[in-house]
Amino acid sequence: MTMTLIGLGVSRGVAIGRAHLLQRGQPEIVEYSVAAREVDTEVRRFQAALAAARHQLRAIRKQIPEETARDIAAFIDTHLLMLEDSMLTTTPVQLIRDSRCNAEWALRQQRDAVARVFDAMDDPYLRTRVDDIDHVVNRILRILLAGESNAPDLSESALKGQVIVADDLTPADTVLMKNHGVAAFVTEVGGPMSHTTILARSLQIPAVVGAHHARRTLRHGEALIVDGEQGVVIADPDRAALRHYRRRRSGERQRRSELARLSDKPAVTRDGREISLQANIELPEDLRVVRKFGADGIGLYRTEFLYMNRAEPPGEEEQYVDYRRILRTMQGRPVFIRTLDLGADKQVDGSVTAAATNPALGLRAIRLCLKEPELFRPQLRALLRASAHGPLRIMFPMLSTTQELFQVLGLVEEIKAELAAEGTRYDPLVPLGAIVEVPAMAVAAPLFARHLDFLSIGTNDLIQYTLAIDRVDDEVNYLYDPLHPAVLKLIHDTLKAGQKACIPVAMCGEMAGDPKLCRLLLGLGLTQFSMQPASLLEVKRIVLDTDVGKLRRRALAVLRATDHEQVAARVAKLND
Ligand code: PEP
Ligand code: MG
């Protein structure tokens, strides 16, 4: 029987395929025997996971204010104590040695044995303590599974043409899906600006998020239509629905082929202003699409994706080769590479930042890099070395204070001196800039602009932090508003600060690729847009059809609107 599910359409396009249901919440484990010579390695793997779990919990513990949260602290202390207890430290090791089972299996057996003891207790309170064991055990399991956790389901070639239906997906999952020809995805949670959905748009995978209870409602193998624009999922569609959506799908293809004709045209407005339209990329392979859509450069390379789906972070040499390759491929066009932005919703499985109680406000991006120079230095060395091979721009994410900025600039100077002493080539004048994504930086943009060569507005985070809404939380999605007067004011102030300091200001958040906002941004004075490659031609079509001089006054009037309706009406008029 046909059934319709409504979620949030976050990546446009129509897909028709069979449902592939995935469970990403509870860690699933594989049980296998280890060879005698591998037993010591397996024990060490288990002990490293225990140490990482302690590290994560201590990091959480430190963030609890002493005076307020005794109960919570005690709760975490209990978990820490469990991690010291022989029930979790010694017995699983014995199991690995005696039965030669893998670490996950040993841990699961021990968990079941302890749970049986608790279940047999008379005291109802003590019986519930088995939940604590599960929390601790699951934490260790997730760390053990890091790097492999995405493996069995998402790496199968059988996924080709299927619609993934999951509780949630990480950006790392989405990257894995890319090569397997997944037709679309539907998740129960998620927001329009989460990194997973940004990736879906950039990979042109139709996607619907926030489709509550999707896995309970949809059946594995069932035929589905996914409309990634309207947020509609139709299960077991009838003939009429199939006909309608097939027509829509071919209309979409037609639209794309018409836009393709614009790829070699320079983006110049009707009144002769040259606009730079650049691409955001997550992986070096994205370069193929960038060329296809005729981007004027790479406006944002999100380097953290290099660190995902692998056990060890990439070293200096690997990064250098990667960055050099991008510069060479872009043949003299500018490439803005952002330094590592790990944390919040961009986790490397099992990393310490995964433990933060409020990750979006925690040890993320530049904060993490400054705290862990051994992570940051190789990247800076690789970037500076790569600067000898083309017009590289280095940009730093999530700066909120000038002290951080000075620390970063100091580190860059140190590394330059190091390279010079070694006789290694680099561009001493490589431009350094920052992403304006913390409201404090937007407000104080003139202070930062003074010390930098460029700014780039990261609207995804700027909106999240200005409006105090977690960009991945679908409960507060409805508040995510790029047209909020506060957001528009911060964007305009940043553009003005750049002008005053005589440095360019670009925009690399999702707003830059939204065709409905293009004229407003042109009118406010933006000339450098960076977006997912799939949006480039649509935005170019609007640029070619706009006379900026004629709309400037009306664009500035949007800033004076007093409520959302007025803003929306004025923006709609700009687009007429
Ligand atoms: C942004 O915040 O706007 C941005 C471009 O960075 P990311 O989406 O990777 O956080
Ligand atoms: Mg950001």
Side-chain angles (χ1 to χ4, degrees):
M1 197 187 65
T2 299
M3 193 187 47
T4 303
L5 215 71
I6 305 292
L8 201 65
V10 290
S11 178
R12 80 189 265 180
V14 169
I16 301 173
R18 303 238 159 237
H20 184 104
L21 266 56
L22 273 187
Q23 167 65 37
R24 310 294 292 151
Q26 279 278 335
E28 272 179 32
I29 65 159
V30 181
E31 300 173 359
Y32 57 89
S33 304
V34 288
R37 62 176 189 288
E38 301 291 345
V39 163
D40 283 343
T41 315
E42 195 63 11
V43 168
R44 277 198 298 276
R45 193 165 81 86
F46 175 71
Q47 285 167 337
L50 274 182
R54 283 187 205 114
H55 192 90
Q56 288 182 354
L57 282 176
R58 284 196 198 113
I60 298 176
R61 176 76 170 80
K62 266 198 217 140
Q63 294 165 37
I64 302 170
E66 294 251 315
E67 65 294 350
T68 52
R70 287 241 176 92
D71 293 352
I72 297 172
F75 179 74
I76 290 175
D77 286 341
T78 313
H79 287 196
L80 272 166
L81 279 175
M82 284 181 184
L83 283 168
E84 302 293 346
D85 195 288
S86 62
M87 126 189 121
L88 285 181
T89 56
T90 317
T91 319
V93 171
Q94 269 161 7
L95 278 168
I96 297 171
R97 291 203 183 283
D98 299 346
S99 325
R100 298 232 202 108
C101 50
N102 62 323
E104 293 87 341
W105 189 9
L107 190 58
R108 196 40 72 76
Q109 286 181 65
Q110 174 63 354
R111 178 256 165 225
D112 291 347
V114 175
R116 277 195 295 276
V117 176
F118 274 80
D119 279 347
M121 290 177 178
D122 286 337
D123 184 335
Y125 172 74
L126 282 177
R127 275 208 304 275
T128 64
R129 305 311 290 175
V130 83
D131 289 348
D132 289 329
I133 309 268
D134 279 338
H135 286 154
V136 175
V137 166
N138 286 343
R139 181 177 292 279
I140 307 169
L141 281 176
R142 266 187 225 108
I143 294 167
L144 280 168
L145 294 167
E148 299 156 32
S149 58
N150 302 309
D153 281 322
L154 288 177
S155 55
E156 284 170 12
S157 51
L159 293 181
K160 193 168 163 42
Q162 307 235 350
V163 175
I164 301 288
V165 181
D167 43 353
D168 194 11
L169 291 168
T170 66
D173 292 333
T174 318
V175 173
L176 282 177
M177 282 192 210
K178 175 180 177 165
N179 296 329
H180 301 300
V182 163
F185 71 73
V186 177
T187 61
E188 295 178 334
V189 298
M193 294 303 148
S194 76
H195 287 96
T196 302
T197 56
I198 289 175
L199 262 177
R201 282 195 286 273
S202 126
L203 302 174
Q204 299 186 48
I205 303 178
V208 172
V209 302
H212 299 282
H213 313 299
R215 282 167 316 141
R216 253 188 275 155
T217 326
L218 304 173
R219 279 175 291 121
H220 196 77
E222 181 170 41
L224 296 183
I225 294 174
V226 178
D227 177 348
E229 193 169 2
Q230 303 297 329
V232 172
V233 182
I234 303 175
D236 196 12
D238 58 21
R239 277 211 204 137
L242 279 170
R243 215 175 312 122
H244 171 78
Y245 279 98
R246 283 198 184 117
R247 222 178 298 130
R248 283 252 329 256
R249 197 168 55 176
S250 65
E252 182 76 13
R253 284 184 191 141
Q254 164 99 15
R255 188 186 66 88
R256 281 191 193 161
S257 80
E258 277 167 20
L259 284 176
R261 294 194 204 118
L262 301 180
S263 68
D264 293 330
K265 270 199 157 185
V268 181
T269 63
R270 285 187 171 204
D271 50 342
R273 292 167 214 259
E274 286 179 21
I275 304 296
S276 173
L277 299 182
Q278 302 177 335
N280 293 353
I281 62 168
E282 280 80 36
L283 294 167
E285 299 91 81
D286 296 340
L287 285 171
R288 265 178 289 143
V289 214
V290 169
R291 279 207 301 268
K292 183 171 136 201
F293 293 122
D296 299 320
I298 304 290
L300 168 65
Y301 174 26
R302 293 181 160 103
T303 55
E304 50 282 358
F305 286 86
L306 261 184
Y307 290 65
M308 291 176 183
N309 296 321
R310 57 192 290 165
E312 294 291 325
E316 174 186 327
E317 195 58 27
E318 182 182 336
Q319 294 190 60
Y320 164 64
V321 171
D322 179 62
Y323 305 151
R324 188 184 59 188
R325 178 154 74 91
I326 294 175
L327 283 160
R328 283 185 176 160
T329 314
M330 291 309 290
Q331 298 175 327
R333 276 164 288 187
V335 176
F336 291 69
I337 301 187
R338 173 176 75 187
T339 60
L340 195 56
D341 183 5
L342 281 181
D345 69 331
K346 280 174 291 193
Q347 298 290 351
V348 175
D349 287 339
S351 71
V352 281
T353 59
T357 46
N358 205 338
L361 301 179
L363 196 58
R364 179 189 161 188
I366 203 71
R367 303 170 181 183
L368 180 69
C369 286
L370 288 173
K371 178 143 188 273
E372 298 191 12
E374 66 284 7
L375 191 70
F376 198 23
R377 276 180 155 272
Q379 180 170 49
L380 287 179
R381 278 186 60 95
L383 283 167
L384 284 168
R385 284 171 61 197
S387 69
H389 300 279
L392 172 67
R393 318 273 187 265
I394 304 177
M395 57 183 178
F396 304 104
M398 279 284 289
L399 287 167
S400 54
T401 68
T402 48
Q403 286 95 311
E404 281 170 331
L405 174 63
F406 299 146
Q407 246 180 298
V408 172
L409 297 180
L411 202 55
V412 171
E413 282 313 307
E414 237 177 70
I415 292 173
K416 280 185 179 172
E418 216 171 83
L419 293 173
E422 290 165 14
T424 306
R425 276 195 326 132
Y426 69 92
D427 173 7
L429 298 178
V430 58
L432 304 177
I435 306 208
V436 182
E437 51 189 344
V438 178
M441 183 172 180
V443 172
L447 300 181
F448 289 84
R450 208 176 283 170
H451 306 282
L452 288 164
D453 302 308
F454 66 89
L455 298 173
S456 183
I457 308 175
T459 52
N460 308 337
D461 278 313
L462 188 62
I463 297 170
Q464 141 164 283
Y465 295 126
T466 304
L467 304 182
I469 41 163
D470 188 337
R471 63 198 256 193
V472 298
D473 184 345
D474 66 322
E475 297 286 351
V476 288
N477 255 327
Y478 68 99
L479 289 169
Y480 200 95
D481 181 13
L483 292 178
H484 191 293
V487 173
L488 295 179
K489 180 174 189 316
L490 290 178
I491 291 172
H492 191 231
D493 288 354
T494 307
L495 286 165
K496 281 194 301 190
Q499 251 168 22
K500 253 201 166 153
C502 296
I503 60 167
V505 180
M507 179 179 285
C508 62
E510 292 292 287
M511 264 181 94
D514 185 339
K516 292 191 289 301
L517 304 178
C518 180
R519 286 204 164 147
L520 170 65
L521 295 172
L522 285 168
L524 294 182
L526 188 71
T527 55
Q528 199 177 321
F529 295 62
S530 190
M531 64 200 81
Q532 350 131 13
S535 305
L536 274 163
L537 295 176
E538 181 97 51
V539 171
K540 189 185 279 187
R541 190 177 57 76
I542 296 165
V543 169
L544 294 172
D545 195 28
T546 299
D547 184 324
V548 178
K550 279 195 183 151
L551 58 77
R552 176 152 292 154
R553 211 171 32 82
R554 281 182 293 143
L556 291 172
V558 174
L559 298 176
R560 293 191 298 273
T562 48
D563 58 41
H564 180 86
E565 279 64 40
Q566 215 175 53
V567 174
R570 290 183 186 185
V571 171
K573 254 199 156 160
L574 285 176
N575 294 334
D576 273 349

